Amino acid sequence: MLSGLTPSGLLSGLLGLLSGFPKLSPPARTLPTLSPPATAWALQAIRDALWDARSAGYGSHAPSKPKPPVAAKSPTVVSFTFDNQWESQMTAAASLKAHGMTGTFYTISSWIGLPGFLSMSDLNTLVANGDEIGGKTVNNSDLPTLSNAEAEREICQGRNVLTSDGFKVTDFAYPFADLNAEDETLVKACGFNSGRGVGNVASVDPGACTYPDCPYAETIPPADPYQINTPDDAEQTTTLADMEKTVTNAENHGGGLLALSFHQICATTTAGCDPVYSWSPTLFNNFLTWLQGQELLKGVQVKTIAQVIGGAVQPAVTAPTVPAAPAGTNALVNPNLTTADSITPANPSCWTQDTYGLNASVPVFTWSATGGAAGGGQETVTMPAGGTGAAMLVNTFDLGQCAPTVVAGTSYQVSDNYKSTVPVYFTVYQRAANGTWAWLTQSPTFPASATWAPASWLTSALPSTVTAVSIGMTLATPGTLSTSNYSLSSTVGVPAAAPIGVQALKNPLLQTSDGSGTNPACWSAAGYGTNTAAFTWSPTGGQSGGEETINMTSWTSGDAKLVTPFDNGNCAPTVTAGGVYTLSVYYESTVPVFITLYSRNAATGVWGYWTQSQPLPAAAGWTLATFTTPAVPSTVNGASFGMTVAGVGTLSTSNYSMVRSS
């Protein structure tokens, strides 16, 4: 009791004391606008003063002053968890930091740095703030739909990538909150200390599970740490009152763990903000402010999942990988498109519809288990008039269940049967060692075909960074494409050389288009230096077959010519070391010309100049030119040649030939 003060005088003095603090307006949770130490002191001072004022009327019979409240033996612990590393989660991270709180951010390893998602720099910022980085597979794959081996690769490799990036990864979240008993076992085997689902804790959202069917909180420690139960995800329809009620229900019913699950933290007026799985930044900030008050008044704690679960950081665990198919063996799963996908029956198993660069005109995909070439299934894609971008059926981007493992440094033969109303081409995607996928290369175009036609293309030797590939024939203009009977097989070295006396060139008469309609298949316009040259091709009009005309209108240096492409065997003919070849071509020209020959290094695959013929005179009519090569050097395994113009004038060529003579 304060000496010399009556109860009424003490109360008046207390009111004066309170006038020194900011005026509080409803709701009362605005109290934490005071700094936490000042607020705690003020609350205790009020309790003490009010008790002293009350006790003054009791004199010597005043009861003992109560002690400050003690935290419950089973506290309510709130864990803020965030799924899929959306870029907008940095807004939540900033609010958490401002309120002295931290969260757990479950990260899909192959999505780091993608547009709209957190970058490596963002993740490092989270760690610096005290936040936890958790794991969520490589590709956010729905684990129960995968084989156990593929699920193990997704879980283990996702953690290993994050670990190699320097993060201490101990806790996991199941993609789509979907799991089975095998998945729990794999999460533990891959080195995680916990696995979080979503649901099975009472929520106040309409239609959510409620007590007594669901408890008000998860136990601490969880009964099953590899299936941590939570309230439902925060959504746009979740109100601030709903979120507060979820916490107070747990407080009033014995406490426990509330692992609150969030996706995007953004206003729905913001571009890219999910209209369902997002929550307002303002509501999030207000909830943190309210929760600060619960920390002070009710002893609520805010912890990361790692702080709740505990346990050491386990070493990395490498899951078994899928070996590459033997050379010459088709490496694709379901190559004939005859088997339906068990999850999406409208698609062929192990194949995925893929698009990019589309406008509002969306292509239509249709699959049938029958009707393809040679009795196989078929996939048809139609790009509507006015449509842009590209569409294709590709092997599913995964870690080996569908996407074929490849051998670095090896070339692969890609083939299928197709029908199309427009030119098409093969696209190849690559998987890196960390599981991320990216575009690798594409083939030359193939011409439109009204009936089933074979298409085949040999890739270049794959870079050392490639662990697997995905292929698909691509439609990039309005029209229709049907595909069937895909194949992907490795080749050892380059294709075999043509025997003595056999034509080694493809499309030697220049009659077949490469698909563009402006260039003959397996031939390329080439040249160098300072000059102006126009190339024109026609499938007819040559000495026999088509013709290519080069019109050089200005010249300072260099030359221009039509040559077989500098590739690894699709078009450029393989040659035999020590062999001698006879080259021939019909030509018409207004100026002297010559034949130029290039060679491919057998060890490196690099192309370079080899030799050339003596000048050949101008010719007003079709004239045959021939040239016999020197013996092929031992270091060479491929050749390319073409007739060359190196001055102002016109050159037309037709009916090429390359035959080994000895």
Side-chain angles (χ1 to χ4, degrees), residues 421-441:
T421 59
V422 292
V424 292
Y425 56 89
F426 286 114
T427 300
V428 181
Y429 295 91
Q430 61 178 320
R431 190 186 72 210
N434 65 0
T436 58
W437 285 89
W439 181 89
L440 175 61
T441 187

Short mmCIF file of all heavy atoms in Angstrom, two decimals, residues 421-441:
data_model
loop_
_atom_site.label_atom_id
_atom_site.label_comp_id
_atom_site.label_asym_id
_atom_site.label_seq_id
_atom_site.Cartn_x
_atom_site.Cartn_y
_atom_site.Cartn_z
N THR A 421 -0.17 -29.90 -91.15
CA THR A 421 -0.59 -28.97 -92.20
C THR A 421 0.41 -27.85 -92.41
O THR A 421 0.27 -27.05 -93.34
CB THR A 421 -1.96 -28.37 -91.86
OG1 THR A 421 -1.86 -27.67 -90.60
CG2 THR A 421 -3.03 -29.45 -91.73
N VAL A 422 1.42 -27.78 -91.53
CA VAL A 422 2.44 -26.73 -91.60
C VAL A 422 3.79 -27.36 -91.23
O VAL A 422 3.85 -28.45 -90.68
CB VAL A 422 2.12 -25.58 -90.62
CG1 VAL A 422 0.88 -24.82 -91.05
CG2 VAL A 422 1.95 -26.12 -89.19
N PRO A 423 4.90 -26.68 -91.51
CA PRO A 423 6.21 -27.19 -91.09
C PRO A 423 6.30 -27.32 -89.57
O PRO A 423 5.73 -26.52 -88.82
CB PRO A 423 7.19 -26.15 -91.63
CG PRO A 423 6.47 -25.53 -92.78
CD PRO A 423 5.03 -25.48 -92.37
N VAL A 424 7.04 -28.33 -89.11
CA VAL A 424 7.20 -28.61 -87.68
C VAL A 424 8.66 -28.96 -87.39
O VAL A 424 9.45 -29.12 -88.32
CB VAL A 424 6.27 -29.77 -87.24
CG1 VAL A 424 4.81 -29.34 -87.31
CG2 VAL A 424 6.50 -31.00 -88.12
N TYR A 425 9.00 -29.11 -86.11
CA TYR A 425 10.37 -29.44 -85.75
C TYR A 425 10.40 -30.12 -84.38
O TYR A 425 9.44 -30.05 -83.61
CB TYR A 425 11.26 -28.20 -85.74
CG TYR A 425 10.77 -27.08 -84.83
CD1 TYR A 425 11.15 -27.02 -83.49
CD2 TYR A 425 9.95 -26.07 -85.33
CE1 TYR A 425 10.71 -26.00 -82.67
CE2 TYR A 425 9.50 -25.04 -84.51
CZ TYR A 425 9.89 -25.01 -83.19
OH TYR A 425 9.44 -24.01 -82.36
N PHE A 426 11.53 -30.78 -84.08
CA PHE A 426 11.73 -31.39 -82.76
C PHE A 426 12.31 -30.34 -81.80
O PHE A 426 13.19 -29.55 -82.18
CB PHE A 426 12.72 -32.55 -82.83
CG PHE A 426 12.17 -33.80 -83.45
CD1 PHE A 426 12.67 -34.27 -84.65
CD2 PHE A 426 11.15 -34.52 -82.84
CE1 PHE A 426 12.18 -35.43 -85.23
CE2 PHE A 426 10.65 -35.68 -83.41
CZ PHE A 426 11.16 -36.13 -84.61
N THR A 427 11.83 -30.37 -80.56
CA THR A 427 12.41 -29.58 -79.49
C THR A 427 12.99 -30.54 -78.45
O THR A 427 12.38 -31.56 -78.14
CB THR A 427 11.37 -28.67 -78.83
OG1 THR A 427 10.84 -27.77 -79.81
CG2 THR A 427 11.98 -27.85 -77.69
N VAL A 428 14.16 -30.19 -77.91
CA VAL A 428 14.80 -31.01 -76.88
C VAL A 428 15.03 -30.16 -75.64
O VAL A 428 15.57 -29.05 -75.73
CB VAL A 428 16.14 -31.59 -77.37
CG1 VAL A 428 16.78 -32.46 -76.28
CG2 VAL A 428 15.95 -32.40 -78.64
N TYR A 429 14.59 -30.67 -74.48
CA TYR A 429 14.83 -30.03 -73.20
C TYR A 429 15.87 -30.84 -72.42
O TYR A 429 16.00 -32.05 -72.62
CB TYR A 429 13.54 -29.92 -72.39
CG TYR A 429 12.51 -29.01 -73.02
CD1 TYR A 429 11.56 -29.52 -73.89
CD2 TYR A 429 12.51 -27.66 -72.77
CE1 TYR A 429 10.61 -28.70 -74.48
CE2 TYR A 429 11.57 -26.81 -73.36
CZ TYR A 429 10.62 -27.35 -74.22
OH TYR A 429 9.70 -26.53 -74.81
N GLN A 430 16.57 -30.18 -71.53
CA GLN A 430 17.64 -30.82 -70.76
C GLN A 430 17.37 -30.70 -69.27
O GLN A 430 16.82 -29.71 -68.79
CB GLN A 430 18.99 -30.16 -71.08
CG GLN A 430 19.03 -28.67 -70.72
CD GLN A 430 20.36 -28.04 -70.99
OE1 GLN A 430 21.40 -28.63 -70.75
NE2 GLN A 430 20.34 -26.80 -71.50
N ARG A 431 17.78 -31.74 -68.54
CA ARG A 431 17.72 -31.69 -67.08
C ARG A 431 19.13 -31.61 -66.53
O ARG A 431 20.00 -32.39 -66.91
CB ARG A 431 17.04 -32.94 -66.52
CG ARG A 431 16.73 -32.84 -65.02
CD ARG A 431 16.18 -34.15 -64.47
NE ARG A 431 17.21 -35.18 -64.40
CZ ARG A 431 16.99 -36.48 -64.53
NH1 ARG A 431 15.77 -36.92 -64.79
NH2 ARG A 431 17.99 -37.35 -64.44
N ALA A 432 19.36 -30.64 -65.65
CA ALA A 432 20.67 -30.48 -65.02
C ALA A 432 20.77 -31.39 -63.80
O ALA A 432 19.80 -32.00 -63.36
CB ALA A 432 20.89 -29.03 -64.62
N ALA A 433 21.96 -31.46 -63.22
CA ALA A 433 22.21 -32.34 -62.08
C ALA A 433 21.34 -31.98 -60.89
O ALA A 433 21.00 -32.84 -60.07
CB ALA A 433 23.68 -32.29 -61.70
N ASN A 434 20.95 -30.70 -60.75
CA ASN A 434 20.12 -30.29 -59.61
C ASN A 434 18.63 -30.50 -59.86
O ASN A 434 17.79 -30.09 -59.05
CB ASN A 434 20.39 -28.83 -59.24
CG ASN A 434 19.99 -27.86 -60.34
OD1 ASN A 434 19.50 -28.26 -61.40
ND2 ASN A 434 20.21 -26.58 -60.10
N GLY A 435 18.29 -31.10 -61.01
CA GLY A 435 16.89 -31.42 -61.30
C GLY A 435 16.13 -30.37 -62.07
O GLY A 435 14.97 -30.57 -62.42
N THR A 436 16.75 -29.23 -62.37
CA THR A 436 16.05 -28.17 -63.10
C THR A 436 16.04 -28.48 -64.60
O THR A 436 16.98 -29.07 -65.14
CB THR A 436 16.71 -26.80 -62.86
OG1 THR A 436 18.09 -26.87 -63.26
CG2 THR A 436 16.63 -26.42 -61.40
N TRP A 437 14.97 -28.06 -65.25
CA TRP A 437 14.79 -28.28 -66.69
C TRP A 437 14.89 -26.98 -67.46
O TRP A 437 14.48 -25.93 -66.97
CB TRP A 437 13.43 -28.92 -66.96
CG TRP A 437 13.36 -30.37 -66.59
CD1 TRP A 437 13.01 -30.90 -65.38
CD2 TRP A 437 13.67 -31.48 -67.44
NE1 TRP A 437 13.08 -32.26 -65.42
CE2 TRP A 437 13.47 -32.65 -66.68
CE3 TRP A 437 14.07 -31.60 -68.76
CZ2 TRP A 437 13.67 -33.93 -67.20
CZ3 TRP A 437 14.27 -32.87 -69.29
CH2 TRP A 437 14.08 -34.02 -68.52
N ALA A 438 15.43 -27.07 -68.69
CA ALA A 438 15.58 -25.89 -69.53
C ALA A 438 15.64 -26.33 -71.00
O ALA A 438 15.94 -27.49 -71.30
CB ALA A 438 16.85 -25.11 -69.17
N TRP A 439 15.36 -25.40 -71.90
CA TRP A 439 15.46 -25.67 -73.33
C TRP A 439 16.92 -25.99 -73.68
O TRP A 439 17.85 -25.38 -73.15
CB TRP A 439 15.01 -24.44 -74.10
CG TRP A 439 15.04 -24.58 -75.60
CD1 TRP A 439 14.06 -25.04 -76.41
CD2 TRP A 439 16.13 -24.21 -76.48
NE1 TRP A 439 14.44 -25.00 -77.74
CE2 TRP A 439 15.72 -24.50 -77.81
CE3 TRP A 439 17.40 -23.69 -76.28
CZ2 TRP A 439 16.53 -24.26 -78.91
CZ3 TRP A 439 18.21 -23.47 -77.37
CH2 TRP A 439 17.77 -23.74 -78.67
N LEU A 440 17.13 -26.96 -74.56
CA LEU A 440 18.48 -27.32 -74.98
C LEU A 440 18.73 -26.98 -76.45
O LEU A 440 19.65 -26.24 -76.78
CB LEU A 440 18.74 -28.81 -74.75
CG LEU A 440 20.09 -29.35 -75.27
CD1 LEU A 440 21.25 -28.65 -74.58
CD2 LEU A 440 20.18 -30.86 -75.08
N THR A 441 17.90 -27.51 -77.34
CA THR A 441 18.13 -27.30 -78.76
C THR A 441 16.88 -27.68 -79.54
O THR A 441 15.90 -28.17 -78.97
CB THR A 441 19.35 -28.13 -79.24
OG1 THR A 441 19.66 -27.79 -80.58
CG2 THR A 441 19.06 -29.61 -79.15
#
